[in-house]
Amino acid sequence: MRAVVQRVKSSKVEIDGKLISEIGNGLNVLLGICEGDTQEDIKYLRDKILNLRIFDEDGKMNLSLLDIKGELLIVSQFTLYGDCRKGRRPNFMKALGGEQSKILYIEFVKQCKEVLGEVKTGEFGEDMQVYIQNDGPVTLLLESK
């Protein structure tokens, strides 16, 4: 699993101009799933994301999303596993698609909800517009493998 984690002041997802989800202060997570990802990958990334100390306290990144009681928006992003090393068109051979990917995405969201209570999401497999007001900017790339 691969996640682009951004510390945000706000973030929202729209589909066809309709607001689907919106958060204030917290984290926007773009989540990619690849072949071979398992429950262990889900648990690792969930724990890493929720406990990352990337929120400021006294001028230092010292607090986690849990510490600040921030919000979380998770958006599935198939293209995170696009391989652009050869040619001019991304190769998505490593990305897990379809129903298998959706099952792991839903499980990731479920496990985050078990810790946070409420989690906002986009809609799996849809063409979404994601608006991100990055705070800092702080953007991190996490991988479970």
Side-chain angles (χ1 to χ4, degrees):
M1 287 188 145
R2 185 176 284 167
V4 175
V5 178
Q6 295 181 306
R7 185 177 75 182
V8 299
K9 289 289 186 189
S10 67
S11 186
K12 67 180 180 178
V13 175
E14 292 181 358
I15 298 175
D16 294 328
K18 179 183 172 199
L19 181 65
I20 301 301
S21 292
E22 185 173 27
I23 65 168
N25 192 41
L27 296 176
N28 177 292
V29 175
L30 305 175
L31 184 68
I33 300 168
C34 76
E35 292 182 359
D37 282 340
T38 66
Q39 292 293 322
E40 287 78 30
D41 296 288
I42 291 172
K43 184 180 181 328
Y44 172 83
L45 264 189
R46 179 206 62 195
D47 291 346
K48 182 64 82 173
I49 290 168
L50 298 182
N51 292 290
L52 269 176
R53 296 181 350 178
I54 59 173
F55 292 91
D56 293 342
E57 177 185 52
D58 300 327
K60 291 183 180 177
M61 290 183 175
N62 231 3
L63 301 174
S64 71
L65 184 69
L66 296 172
D67 294 328
I68 68 158
K69 296 178 176 45
E71 296 181 272
L72 181 63
L73 174 61
I74 304 169
V75 178
S76 63
Q77 182 140 5
F78 177 84
T79 60
L80 283 180
Y81 276 99
D83 183 350
C84 299
R85 291 177 292 178
K86 293 182 182 176
R88 295 178 185 222
R89 182 178 304 168
N91 174 328
F92 297 104
M93 295 300 290
K94 288 187 180 179
L96 184 63
E99 195 59 32
Q100 292 173 309
S101 182
K102 185 174 184 178
I103 290 167
L104 291 174
Y105 171 76
I106 290 169
E107 181 63 23
F108 182 82
V109 171
K110 177 183 164 214
Q111 287 193 27
C112 289
K113 284 181 179 179
E114 288 172 359
V115 177
L116 287 177
E118 185 176 7
V119 172
K120 303 289 180 85
T121 66
E123 288 191 20
F124 186 89
E126 293 294 323
D127 182 17
M128 298 172 273
Q129 289 69 55
V130 181
Y131 300 86
I132 300 168
Q133 184 183 10
N134 195 314
D135 180 22
V138 174
T139 301
L140 301 166
L141 178 61
L142 303 177
E143 296 198 57
S144 60
K145 299 205 182 343

